[in-house]
Amino acid sequence: MWPFGRKQSSTPESLAAASPQSPPPQPPPPPPPPVHFGVPYAAGCVAVDQVQGTIAVGAKGGDVKLFGRGAAEMLLPAGEAKQAAVHLVFYTNGGRLLVVHLPGLLRLWDLTGADPRLAASFSLGSAAIEIVWAVPRSPYALLGLAGGL
């Protein structure tokens, strides 16, 4: 027996009835973002920025993994580009990475800040890009298409 009479019920219903002004329960926090270590599965292309000491590896799922100095790793998500990354080109010492996805989707990543951001995205439709070359010391890239255009 309790010293002050009968035992109070502590069920959620009795607690809600006892305090009608209590705030609703908070939803659980969102899960943390997925963590990825190492080289992506089914890597298909690679690019190296020798000045910055950065390596980019493109995967068939569209993601691009960056490896930097000091064992730094970062994953650039595929986003709407769920097709394979087939070409990667660094603008040497410019802080940009051009990623070409099948079929003819170009995505330009700005790597200058703490968090890389997608600076531009452009589609050439179904054009098959065979080769990409960044013109040294310029903001331009040359694309070689399968049709010769």
Side-chain angles (χ1 to χ4, degrees), residues 54-118:
T54 306
I55 298 172
V57 179
K60 295 202 186 229
D63 295 329
V64 176
K65 186 69 177 267
L66 297 175
F67 298 93
R69 293 185 179 149
E73 295 184 23
M74 181 170 286
L75 186 69
L76 302 177
E80 79 273 0
K82 296 295 183 189
Q83 298 296 324
V86 291
H87 298 288
L88 300 172
V89 177
F90 277 107
Y91 286 88
T92 304
N93 208 21
R96 291 173 294 168
L97 174 67
L98 180 64
V99 182
V100 178
H101 297 272
L102 289 176
L105 176 65
L106 299 144
R107 300 176 82 205
L108 182 65
W109 288 90
D110 181 9
L111 307 176
T112 56
D115 292 324
R117 66 177 184 85
L118 185 62

